[in-house]
Amino acid sequence: MDESMERPCPELPVDVLVLIFARLFYPADRTRFQAVSRFWRSATRPPPRQLPWIMHPAGGFLNPSDRILHHLVSFPKTASCSIDDRALIHRCYSSFPENMRCIGSTDGWIAVDCQDTKNKHKHMYLLHNEFSGMTLSLPELDAAIAHVSELFEIRKVLLRSTPDDVIALMTNHYSFHIILTRCGKGVWFPKQHADPLIDIIDVAFLGDRLYGITLEEDLVYLGIASDDNDVPMVTGGKCVIGDFGVWSDEEDYDDNIVDDDDDDDDDDDDDDDDDLTKMTKEDKIGPGIKLIKVDESPNDVKATCYLIESCGKLLMVRQQVLSSGGLFSDITQKVNVFKADVSAAKWVPVKGGLGGQALFISNPVCKSVSATCSEEIQEDVIYFIDTDDEFNMRSKSISAPKNAFEYNMILKSAGPQKLTWVFPPELVA
């Protein structure tokens, strides 16, 4: 065989092809690269574990390795949000049509809110895997929270394992702060104004169990059971660290379950709290942030905490952020990490490192990733998406933001609370 036929680009050195292959993020693109020729295939190397992507709610993503904003190759498939519409969008940070936005993520899955173009109060919800290209509809969720006010906001969409398992959502609505659903089964809501639940600012799965944390750093175990139709529900809560107390929601839980066929209008005399289109500012739950006044600073310090599973343990990451104002992002001022000791009912400070792990922190999702075989992920480092900071657990140092101006523009366009991490397959255990 003619060597020029086998090597369509003989002038490209192997080391250049290796660099090109290393810049391909999508598995499908890597497969196409390898299919060009045997010579190109010989230049491929096992892809190093790359940093997770930073996902903009409008659909663009930032790869932290090159600090460049990319447009998506894989798009959610839905009749309500035509993919052809994206050709009409020229916004700097957008890959989605204007009526579609990312509202959360778990591993390689992103949760997408698609707003009806003719009725701004009507929504449909999807799960889309950026790497496999698979899109799943969530009709049970559509039936439950399709019609909502512009004030209504989904803050977290957390998969327990796979999309057909339990999915936990957190919203900003006082009466629907935590929602559980399972594809093809139904949706569970808490009872209206379930006071214990509204204090929870973050949730995390530890195996099959769901835990929540409050702004006062109480750790709460939320018991999950399923009804005869396999609809998940929170049956009650127990404080395992702190003074949150114990409560039960088991009584009449069937009244809190919605399925795709539930079109009964017999409850027209229910309180307006059931109608999410009538949500008011009084129904909103705050973002779970404490403001700390600092005498020598003109700006406030914002304090919050995140709950994250790491190597079978629950960690609490406490972050204090100094508001910078203007065009610049806030700056992480102080970080503390604690491990939950349930038997002793207390948080134990984590000293030293993270056991070779790295933590990726954002409001929509937090994840612990092994850094032992990585060239880009630093072990014992915490990556904060909202400030572009990296906190080293061993040296206790906080890095300065990289390429700060461009990143700050992205932060300002999205709102730092809405950026989320998306993890390539090689980072998902």
Side-chain angles (χ1 to χ4, degrees), residues 105-110 131 161 365 367 421-424 427-429:
S105 64
T106 300
D107 296 337
W109 292 92
I110 61 173
F131 304 96
S161 56
V365 70
K367 188 174 178 64
W421 298 106
V422 178
F423 295 84
L427 296 184
V428 179

Side-chain angles (χ1 to χ4, degrees), residues 70-92:
H70 300 265
H71 288 270
L72 297 180
V73 175
S74 175
F75 290 86
K77 302 173 181 64
T78 167
S80 297
C81 297
S82 171
I83 300 306
D84 292 338
D85 289 347
R86 75 178 186 272
L88 304 176
I89 307 302
H90 301 286
R91 291 175 295 163
C92 181

